[in-house]
Amino acid sequence: MSETRDVVIIGSGCSGHTAALYTARANLKPLVIEGHEPGGQLSMTTLVENFPGFPEGILGPQLVENMRKQAERFGAEYRMAHLTSADLGKRPFLLHIGVHQVHAQTLIIASGASARWLGLPHEQQLIGHGVSSCATCDGFFFRGQDIAVVGGGDSALEEALFLTRFATSVTVIHRRDALRASKIMQERAFSNEKIRFAWNTQVVEVLGDDKVTGLKVRDTLTKEDRVLEVTGVFVAIGHVPNTTLVTGQVDLHANGYVRTGLGSFTNIEGLFAAGDVQDDVYRQAVTSAGSGCIAAIDAERWLETLGM
């Protein structure tokens, strides 16, 4: 089967849903390919308290479901499928979605970024119950608690410093005896009385059934194990932008994120990027939604210039 669409959106997180809403209201009948992680990272979040308009907060899965229903109301079509290949050298773009071919006049990449996890038992099932990858999202829930941050770069120390606003103590767990973070970040962390360091240490198990009750950690030199008594752990070992299918076709930054110029424009005419796939700085639900709006307006206006 083959079909042609004015707008195809890859990804169904905040940026994808918002792009779908705006392009649907512009009567462009967007097709949204939900991808391998429908709802994005919000689908793994419990209570979201920093998205405007919800004074009592809202559950992450409910927020993305509301966004989807709103876009569908105006004519957005969602397809539970994976993009298997994309030829961005053709006009219109040629997309293979399973056994189907879709020709896209414009393509909005909103495929997000995936947090790097430790790959430990219980880790995934305790996401949102003591395990997190976003201090800005979840730090408030750990007020007065002893928690840990895993990592040794700028991101890890930024998370740790932010978490000291809420936690009683923050233990930075690093598998070496020196940090990779910039000097200024190290100085800020070392001077903060709430931050402790577990050097030459790696997490080998996240403890707890319904919520985090501690971490089993191992000394990388002596190989001795011990239990670190914390009620939360923030994994800050980086994110990976989901750009596999467009790598080599679109300009990327050195860290793999899609490079955008003014607004959401990429180096390819008709190709736009929104959300965490191009944002390695803010990575918030509200900023993703905003960039989805920008991409939708950019795509609509671009189509207008071509008389479509």
Side-chain angles (χ1 to χ4, degrees), residues 86-126:
D87 187 346
L88 306 181
K90 294 180 179 292
R91 294 291 318 153
F93 304 129
L94 176 60
L95 311 177
H96 286 92
I97 302 166
V99 297
H100 302 284
Q101 287 188 355
V102 176
H103 298 275
Q105 301 291 358
T106 62
L107 177 64
I108 298 175
I109 304 174
S111 49
S114 301
R116 285 192 176 102
W117 296 103
L118 299 171
L120 300 173
H122 292 170
E123 180 183 41
Q124 293 297 306
Q125 73 185 56
L126 291 175

Side-chain angles (χ1 to χ4, degrees), residues 59-188:
L59 294 176
Q62 186 62 60
L63 177 59
V64 292
E65 179 62 20
N66 289 353
M67 289 180 173
R68 173 179 174 147
K69 288 179 179 178
Q70 190 174 5
E72 285 181 317
R73 175 189 165 203
F74 291 101
E77 179 186 342
Y78 283 78
R79 195 169 295 175
M80 180 67 78
H82 303 280
L83 179 66
T84 53
S85 69
D87 187 346
L88 306 181
K90 294 180 179 292
R91 294 291 318 153
F93 304 129
L94 176 60
L95 311 177
H96 286 92
I97 302 166
V99 297
H100 302 284
Q101 287 188 355
V102 176
H103 298 275
Q105 301 291 358
T106 62
L107 177 64
I108 298 175
I109 304 174
S111 49
S114 301
R116 285 192 176 102
W117 296 103
L118 299 171
L120 300 173
H122 292 170
E123 180 183 41
Q124 293 297 306
Q125 73 185 56
L126 291 175
I127 291 175
H129 301 278
V131 174
S132 175
S133 63
C134 179
T136 309
C137 309
D138 301 325
F140 178 82
F141 302 113
F142 295 87
R143 187 177 297 276
Q145 299 180 41
D146 297 308
I147 58 179
V149 172
V150 181
D154 277 355
S155 295
L157 295 193
E158 285 172 7
E159 299 275 274
L161 287 162
F162 180 83
L163 290 166
T164 59
R165 303 181 188 185
F166 311 101
T168 299
S169 72
V170 180
T171 301
V172 176
I173 301 172
H174 189 45
R175 31 187 321 133
R176 302 179 182 85
D177 60 0
L179 299 169
R180 294 179 286 103
S182 60
K183 293 297 182 184
I184 190 170
M185 291 302 298
Q186 292 192 43
E187 290 170 3
R188 290 174 183 171

Side-chain angles (χ1 to χ4, degrees), residues 210-268:
D210 301 319
K211 61 181 180 180
V212 173
T213 58
L215 298 174
K216 183 179 180 180
V217 297
R218 178 169 298 156
D219 188 302
T220 58
L221 300 178
T222 66
K223 307 304 180 184
E224 293 181 355
D225 292 346
R226 64 185 177 93
V227 173
L228 184 64
E229 295 183 356
V230 295
T231 52
V233 56
F234 288 78
V235 181
I237 56 177
H239 288 74
V240 181
N242 299 318
T243 57
T244 303
L245 291 174
V246 296
T247 299
Q249 300 188 78
V250 63
D251 280 354
L252 305 177
H253 289 284
N255 59 5
Y257 287 78
V258 176
R259 186 189 300 274
T260 51
L262 181 65
S264 64
F265 286 84
T266 69
N267 65 304
I268 298 176

Side-chain angles (χ1 to χ4, degrees), residues 23-34:
T23 51
R25 292 187 77 249
N27 201 32
L28 293 173
K29 299 178 176 58
L31 172 64
V32 182
I33 307 304
E34 295 197 75

